[in-house]
Amino acid sequence: MTKLRVALIELLDTEGRVTGAFDVTEWPVRLGRALDNEFVLHDPQVAAHHATLDVDAAGVLTLHVGNSRNGARIEQGRAMVPLSVGEQARLEPLARWQLGGSLLRVRRLQDPLPAEAAQAGLALQAPGWLLPALAVAALAWMGITLWLGNNPDSGWEDYVPALLSAAGGLAVWGLLWGLASKLFTHRFVFTPHLRLALGFTLAMLASELVLSMLAFAFDWPWASRLRPLVLLALGAALLARHLRLVLPLAWRHVQAAVLVLAVLSAGVQMAMQWQRNERLVDELYATTLLPPAWRLVGAQAPQALVQELRGLEKPLVESARKAAEKDFEP
């Protein structure tokens, strides 16, 4: 009569994926390279009779280390605790443990089953029309921007190279992330990466336009100064979403790393601005003016502008003095 499975010993890779499994029908279970073990490990760093798994009367699963020069390591919290020859330790439910270069885990019937993980590439499912719509919107936005910046008599040959270069750059971007997905998840994922790039590119362009319009329409300088931080935040979010597809099993660590990187980047950017002009943000220089009808705040008297300009006299004189001292050579 076939014995019922009471546990499963899983062999894991470095990404936590199961590469092999062994059914346990009774305890104890011996592990090692010798063929008389219940679970044979083909690992040169594992001894002939390396370790034994057993369950006591209370149902506690324990790992016993046998005659091995490398011992074992078991997961306790966030640390891997070493065990030497003759030592033993309790294995927590679903805790990982290591014999030589082999990473293992035991699953018993009473252990909680981990939640189903989202499949890479399916977490960002979208209707088929979304990708073409995003591509058309991005190219149309770029075309309008080029049209506004070029001379009225510019021909199609002035637009096609820039549009083709942008389309090629986005395709290469998606291809590189697709190759990264193939490397880490063994699946080539291209369309979700390209959709992310197009969506976040449009979000960056739209946020920059909206903040500029708010600054102009309501006389809110902070809206214009906020643009670099918003673009940085969107860029960090784009990087995190790409990495979520590439490293789905390490999503929480990736999210924390990207957040730390974004905060450090913002700090470095502000520090460089302060070093250059003793300001945390860029000066506000308008390269173009929006239509006057979009200005929603009331006009101010000319005297108000004169008073503001007088306030600039002292810092400008101080800046000129520092520049003169810096350039002076005795």
Side-chain angles (χ1 to χ4, degrees), residues 86-136:
E87 293 184 333
Q88 65 181 39
R90 173 180 177 176
L91 285 178
E92 299 295 333
L94 300 181
R96 297 177 301 175
W97 40 287
Q98 187 172 350
L99 302 181
S102 302
L103 187 63
L104 302 112
R105 177 177 61 196
V106 177
R107 288 175 53 198
R108 296 198 288 172
L109 296 176
Q110 63 268 35
D111 292 338
L113 188 65
E116 180 185 9
Q119 184 177 350
L122 297 182
L124 295 176
Q125 281 186 340
W129 55 264
L130 182 58
L131 180 60
L134 290 174
V136 170

Side-chain angles (χ1 to χ4, degrees), residues 267-309:
V268 170
Q269 183 177 353
M270 290 183 178
M272 294 178 64
Q273 288 292 338
W274 183 266
Q275 185 179 12
R276 285 196 296 264
N277 52 26
E278 296 184 356
R279 296 173 61 92
L280 295 177
V281 294
D282 286 330
E283 294 281 359
L284 297 180
Y285 294 108
T287 55
T288 58
L289 291 177
L290 297 176
W294 293 9
R295 183 79 170 176
L296 302 180
V297 295
Q300 297 185 11
Q303 189 62 27
L305 176 61
V306 174
Q307 293 296 331
E308 291 184 5
L309 293 176

